[in-house]
Amino acid sequence: MGWDLATPFIIDLQVAPEDIDGLGHANNAVYVSWLERCAWRHSQRLGLDLTEYRRLDRAMAVVRHEIDYLAAGYQGDELQLATWIVDWDRRLKMTRRFQLLRPRDGVTLLRANTTFVCIELSSGKPKRMPPEFLDGYGPALTGG
């Protein structure tokens, strides 16, 4: 597979009828929901699920998406979405990189970067990452 970086975390997706817009392809808003799904599943795999977020009174919240839509996805397409944690300051911010591929023909449909900031759930304000975030997200950091 033509992944941009080594050791991706990957989820499988299929373009469903409800993902299709008036132009006959997957709507761009659907891609954003897929990014969120992939990031969340990766966090869960790293041991940082919603229960842990609530226990710690911390969460990683999106502050910026940068998305390059490179090709369209169509109903029934089988896709794979990969993510990597490519940057973080070990305090507040973390950046994930994403790549969406259609394995059938090897076409990359999307590349994206999402910046997250650690927030305190009880106040919604930025707050330093707890040690559990450093321990969970740290080993997943890759060059990018």
Side-chain angles (χ1 to χ4, degrees):
M1 196 63 66
W3 297 117
D4 291 342
L5 299 173
T7 64
F9 174 83
I10 300 167
I11 64 169
D12 295 317
L13 300 164
Q14 183 176 37
V15 181
E18 59 270 16
D19 298 332
I20 303 302
D21 63 17
L23 301 178
H25 55 70
N27 186 277
N28 60 358
V30 172
Y31 289 90
V32 174
S33 72
W34 291 342
L35 298 179
E36 188 274 335
R37 183 185 313 169
C38 187
W40 186 242
R41 287 191 186 161
H42 189 217
S43 289
Q44 291 169 324
R45 175 73 52 87
L46 297 172
L48 295 165
D49 60 13
L50 191 54
T51 301
E52 188 69 352
Y53 273 20
R54 288 179 179 147
R55 183 184 76 76
L56 297 168
D57 192 30
R58 296 290 188 283
M60 297 305 295
V62 172
V63 293
R64 180 179 176 88
H65 285 300
E66 298 174 69
I67 302 171
D68 293 319
Y69 297 98
L70 305 171
Y74 298 96
Q75 185 174 328
D77 277 353
E78 301 282 343
L79 307 174
Q80 289 190 312
L81 180 58
T83 191
W84 302 264
I85 298 172
V86 295
D87 189 37
W88 72 328
D89 64 8
R90 300 181 59 87
R91 293 182 304 278
L92 288 173
K93 288 187 178 181
M94 178 174 71
T95 303
R96 284 183 175 278
R97 186 166 163 183
F98 297 90
Q99 181 183 1
L100 181 65
L101 274 176
R102 186 172 45 224
R104 166 176 52 83
D105 57 10
V107 170
T108 294
L109 305 182
L110 169 146
R111 285 190 176 91
N113 288 297
T114 299
T115 303
F116 296 82
V117 69
C118 185
I119 62 166
E120 182 179 58
L121 286 172
S122 58
S123 70
K125 295 183 187 215
K127 196 76 163 191
R128 190 175 186 93
M129 291 180 195
E132 292 87 345
F133 278 27
L134 302 179
D135 294 342
Y137 289 121
L141 181 67
T142 187

